[in-house]
Structures are given as C-alpha cells and as structure tokens.
Amino acid sequence: MANVSIQDLKKTYDGKQDILSGLNLDIRDGEFCVLVGPSGCGKSTLLRMLCGLEEISGGQLAIGGEVVHHLPPAKRGIAMVFQSYALYPHMNVYKNMAFGLKIAGSNKHDIDERIRHAAGILKIDHLLNRLPRELSGGQRQRVAIGRAIVRKPRLFLFDEPLSNLDAALRVQTRLEIAKLHKQLAATIVYVTHDQVEAMTLGDKIVVMHDGQIQQAGTPLELYQHPQNLFVAGFIGSPKMNLLPATVTEVLDDGLQVTIGGGQSLRVDVAPGAVRVGERVTLGLRAEHIHENTSGSEQLTGRVNLVEHLGEANFIYLSLTGGQDVVVRGDGNRTIAIGEHLALSADSHAFHVFDADGRALRRLKPGNVVSSRHH
C-alpha cells in the first residue's frame, strides 16, 4: 500500500474556472480517508485526478513517494470502485473479476488464486458462476469491490459506492467495507455525501467546499472542534444549532452575549479579537441542550415537531427570540406539539464563531485566559 501526498493541487477548466484551488493533503499508508462536502465541491474531481482520469492544472500529486502526473491510470497502482458497479452484463462474476488481470497478462493459476481469495473475503464465492442480472444490488457492489481487490493495488478509490443501495444494504455493506479495510490494511480514499458513512468509516475526514479543504482530521476532531461555520453546520446529524448573537461583555474566561429576544448567555471561549458590540454565531449540539434547568445557561422553547427514534427523540423548537433549535431528548418522554419546555446548556458546551466564521478556542471548565479586550 502507499501514502498519498497532495501539494498545492489545482484544477481549472479553460484556464479560468477554478474547480480545485491549491489543495494540500497527506494521507498515511493504510489510512481510510473520507472526502465529504456538498455537490460541486470538488471531491469527485480530486478522486478522478488521483486515478488519472483528470489532468492536474498545477501542483504535485504523489502516491507512495512517486509523482504520478505522467503515468496513465493503469500504471498508478490504483483500483477504483464506482457508484454504478460497471460490471460486464454478459460475463459471470468470475469472468468480471478476472478480466482486468487477463488484460494485464497474469497467468491462469494466479488469477484463479486471487479471485477465490477475494471471493472468500467478501463471501461471494457461491456466486462466481452467476451473471450480474442474477445478483442483488449489494452482491453486485461486492463483486465490484472484489474486482478491485484482485488487482492488489497500492491505493483503493471509492466513488459513492453505496448510494444505489437501500438503507438496510447500506448499513450491511458499510460494515463489510470497514472489515475489509482492517483485513487488507489498505490505503483508501472514499467519496461520500453521507454523514454516517463518513463518521463511521473514516480514520480521517476531509471536508471540502468550493474547491477548498475546510478542515481535515479525525471524525471526533471535526465533530467536537469545527474550525469554521461551514464545518460546524455540515458535520453532524442533526447539524449543529447556530444562533446569531451580539457580544455584550468580554471577560477573562469567556464572553457574555445576547441572542434574539434579549436572552443573555455566558460562553466559555478564549475571547480572541472579538470586542463588545460585535456579531458572533453561537454553536450548540442537540445533545448538549437539556430538557431541564440543570445547566448554567437557561433557555425557553416552544415545541414545533418531535421525531421519535425509539431510544431517543429529536425535538424541534422555537426559542423565545424566534431562533429554531433541535434538542436530543429521552425517547420515553411524551412531548406535545405547542408545549413550552425549560431548556439549559452548560456554558462550556457552546462553540463561538466570529464575524468571518472562524471558531474561537473553547475553554475547559476552570480554564482562564487573560484578556485585554474590554
């Protein structure tokens, strides 16, 4: 397998439209790296540049320490699994998996050994004589993955491989891909728009927007410490509650702010460059808002909708000032539409983003940072 090094990578069309704007990213050998972002952010373009289907417009792209700009796809040591499976309909499973190896000139014994090994890993050895039309969607996807495995690539590329599957099959196949990564110790770059896939599969998540990397890190780093408003609003389901606020006081160990309706709140963040009167945005996860008054900061909301999930529910409320928030609550509690709830949150649970959308450093309880911004 191999590490991937991307340095100042650019992609433009007609020399004008920037698709990728100077990306820098390192993917370690054996790492499972997930690219996420809205449609048109450049994640699939980056994947196609890695495999050689798109030329780069600038920068450097290396796999295993080897610059691969000049190499055609077949010489890069990669295998790609597409969203559409791309199986030959007139060939059975065995022949589909063998085709690439035959083209590469592998001998029959080696081909047979690789196919049966991969089929055993994916539990499709009983399907080798079937045609693609005789397989379910999940089975076809496993065949496509098996066809990639037999090539013994140094880098696997997955382009939204589960998007054509139903919900149950997505969960099952996601688990199989996670197990496969552990078994093969493979380097994988995986494109998806699905939050759950990204959070459960990735060692590293790369959030992209408008052709730029907004943040890269472990799933927990991005969830607990988003560096900007875009990442805060993109990572997490439901997404982070974001509330416009105004700074009313700058303290040594945090800020005093007001939200709509004049509600005053204390937030434990390093003040940074914010000053009294400046606009900021508060961020608060659904699970950090409580349906009681145990927290230090009090809120009141009117229930608009309740989603029942069994062990929990998501309660959609409007606060006194009109802002909408989502609260994760106890699934055993019955809540009526229109009910008013007393809510609370701890001051250290808030995220704060300045007027440019950059996150201020959060303080742990008892952590004091000297500030001169008054």
Side-chain angles (χ1 to χ4, degrees):
M1 301 305 161
N3 63 306
V4 177
S5 175
I6 296 170
Q7 298 178 17
D8 198 28
L9 193 67
K10 297 181 177 69
K11 179 63 180 179
T12 60
Y13 287 118
D14 301 325
K16 300 176 182 178
Q17 185 180 4
D18 283 341
I19 305 301
L20 298 178
S21 307
L23 302 189
N24 291 285
L25 179 66
D26 289 313
I27 302 170
R28 298 191 309 272
D29 184 22
E31 193 167 45
F32 198 127
C33 178
V34 182
L35 307 180
V36 295
S39 297
C41 70
K43 55 187 185 294
S44 290
T45 299
L46 175 55
L47 205 69
R48 291 170 62 84
M49 293 170 76
L50 279 169
C51 71
L53 296 178
E54 291 274 2
E55 293 184 358
I56 73 169
S57 304
Q60 181 172 291
L61 177 60
I63 301 174
E66 178 185 15
V67 176
V68 296
H69 307 166
H70 61 289
L71 296 179
K75 301 294 185 181
R76 295 193 179 193
I78 56 96
M80 190 159 179
V81 179
F82 296 94
Q83 176 181 350
S84 62
Y85 315 143
L87 302 177
Y88 296 107
H90 62 290
M91 294 183 183
N92 64 21
V93 170
Y94 187 99
K95 290 180 179 178
N96 263 284
M97 294 174 68
F99 186 76
L101 297 178
K102 286 183 178 180
I103 296 298
S106 299
N107 63 64
K108 287 185 177 181
H109 178 266
D110 187 37
I111 291 173
D112 186 72
E113 191 175 69
R114 291 194 193 188
I115 289 174
R116 301 208 178 270
H117 176 68
I121 291 174
L122 295 167
K123 297 180 174 57
I124 55 172
D125 36 5
H126 62 295
L127 304 175
L128 292 177
N129 292 320
R130 293 191 189 180
L131 293 170
R133 67 172 179 268
E134 299 171 320
L135 305 177
S136 69
Q139 289 169 336
R140 291 180 195 178
Q141 189 56 270
R142 278 185 280 167
V143 174
I145 294 171
R147 183 177 54 190
I149 292 174
V150 297
R151 295 184 59 188
K152 295 184 177 179
R154 54 182 177 173
L155 177 64
F156 285 88
L157 306 177
F158 287 79
D159 191 6
E160 300 199 32
L162 309 185
S163 58
N164 289 333
L165 305 181
D166 62 37
L169 271 177
R170 286 174 77 97
V171 173
Q172 179 185 340
T173 310
R174 188 172 73 230
L175 291 172
E176 290 171 354
I177 291 175
K179 290 177 184 176
L180 182 66
H181 175 239
K182 300 302 181 186
Q183 284 180 282
L184 300 178
T187 306
I188 295 176
V189 181
Y190 187 106
V191 165
T192 184
H193 62 274
D194 187 287
Q195 292 272 332
V196 177
E197 280 180 38
M199 295 294 286
T200 56
L201 286 175
D203 300 319
K204 173 184 287 179
I205 296 178
V206 179
V207 180
M208 298 182 64
H209 181 52
D210 288 342
Q212 297 181 332
I213 293 175
Q214 300 295 311
Q215 188 174 351
T218 67
L220 279 180
E221 284 173 350
L222 269 64
Y223 188 81
Q224 296 177 347
H225 305 288
Q227 292 179 355
N228 58 46
L229 266 175
F230 180 81
V231 177
F234 190 83
I235 293 294
S237 181
K239 68 179 185 179
M240 182 183 288
N241 296 298
L242 298 173
L243 306 174
T246 302
V247 178
T248 57
E249 188 176 0
V250 178
L251 309 168
D252 286 340
D253 56 352
L255 300 173
Q256 197 75 29
V257 302
T258 58
I259 60 174
Q263 172 76 58
S264 181
L265 299 170
R266 160 71 179 272
V267 291
D268 296 343
V269 296
V274 295
R275 298 180 182 276
V276 171
E278 287 191 17
R279 299 286 290 173
V280 295
T281 301
L282 304 185
L284 196 59
R285 294 286 182 192
E287 64 270 24
H288 294 152
I289 307 175
H290 314 296
E291 295 180 53
N292 51 51
T293 56
S294 63
S296 56
E297 304 308 312
Q298 308 300 314
L299 299 165
T300 303
R302 181 184 183 278
V303 178
N304 298 321
L305 178 69
V306 180
E307 287 183 343
H308 298 281
L309 304 177
E311 84 290 350
N313 56 33
F314 287 124
I315 310 163
Y316 294 78
L317 308 100
S318 294
L319 299 181
T320 304
Q323 304 95 331
D324 293 329
V325 298
V326 184
V327 177
R328 182 182 174 91
D330 183 355
N332 296 314
R333 170 148 149 54
T334 301
I335 299 173
I337 304 300
E339 183 177 346
H340 284 80
L341 297 183
L343 306 170
S344 67
D346 293 322
S347 59
H348 62 266
F350 287 90
H351 300 255
V352 181
F353 304 90
D354 65 19
D356 295 321
R358 295 171 300 199
L360 302 183
R361 184 167 63 87
R362 299 167 72 198
L363 301 178
K364 296 179 181 178
N367 204 358
V368 176
V369 174
S370 178
S371 170
R372 297 181 181 176
H373 302 285
H374 293 287

